[in-house]
Amino acid sequence: MEAYNFETAIKPFFWVASDKTFSVCLNAGTYKPEIFEWRKDEGFEGNGYDWAALAKVFLEEKRPDLAGDIRFDPEADMFCAYSENPDMLKEFITGFKETCEDELQIQDLFLKAEID
């Protein structure tokens, strides 16, 4: 059995560690563009801000226990979540990625997302 590899498991999200802060990022538009396709008439494009809106709903609905530790710093072409607590951030991104892979769950969350 292959050993669990966190960085492989969260792809296409990627982990960035610095002295005090840990981040997990995504190049917007490269992953699951179809999620945003069915609300594009409302202005969703699948950019970093849209991913952050989706991630906020995920935290509120699925992992409110992590909400105090996770912050977002999106840009047009980049989704970025960060925390000073690497374990909390790993729990967040692992759960968020699993949810993104579940079409029904992600659509349900996306219905509640608000454009930033």
Side-chain angles (χ1 to χ4, degrees):
M1 188 170 145
E2 195 176 316
Y4 175 77
N5 182 319
F6 170 73
E7 294 201 8
T8 302
I10 65 166
K11 276 185 178 164
F13 296 94
F14 56 93
W15 187 257
V16 182
S18 64
D19 286 344
K20 292 189 174 124
T21 310
F22 301 86
S23 305
V24 63
C25 303
L26 171 72
N27 291 313
T30 60
Y31 179 55
K32 300 272 178 190
E34 69 278 4
I35 292 172
F36 302 96
E37 194 65 29
W38 55 276
R39 284 186 68 190
K40 72 176 182 196
D41 56 330
E42 297 171 52
F44 281 98
E45 302 169 2
N47 61 29
Y49 300 101
D50 295 347
W51 275 102
L54 188 57
K56 285 174 189 166
V57 175
F58 167 80
L59 279 178
E60 287 165 16
E61 299 272 319
K62 306 277 189 196
R63 292 304 305 266
D65 58 310
L66 298 178
D69 286 291
I70 309 295
R71 302 276 178 266
F72 300 101
D73 185 19
E75 294 173 16
D77 59 351
M78 178 78 66
F79 163 76
C80 184
Y82 66 96
S83 178
E84 291 177 9
N85 185 326
D87 296 330
M88 296 287 191
L89 189 60
K90 284 180 178 181
E91 274 190 54
F92 158 74
I93 196 56
T94 302
F96 187 51
K97 170 82 189 305
E98 283 172 13
T99 301
C100 289
E101 293 295 325
D102 182 319
E103 201 169 321
L104 290 175
Q105 276 194 65
I106 201 65
Q107 286 179 0
D108 180 56
L109 290 181
F110 189 48
L111 284 172
K112 300 167 186 157
E114 306 275 328
I115 284 192
D116 229 342

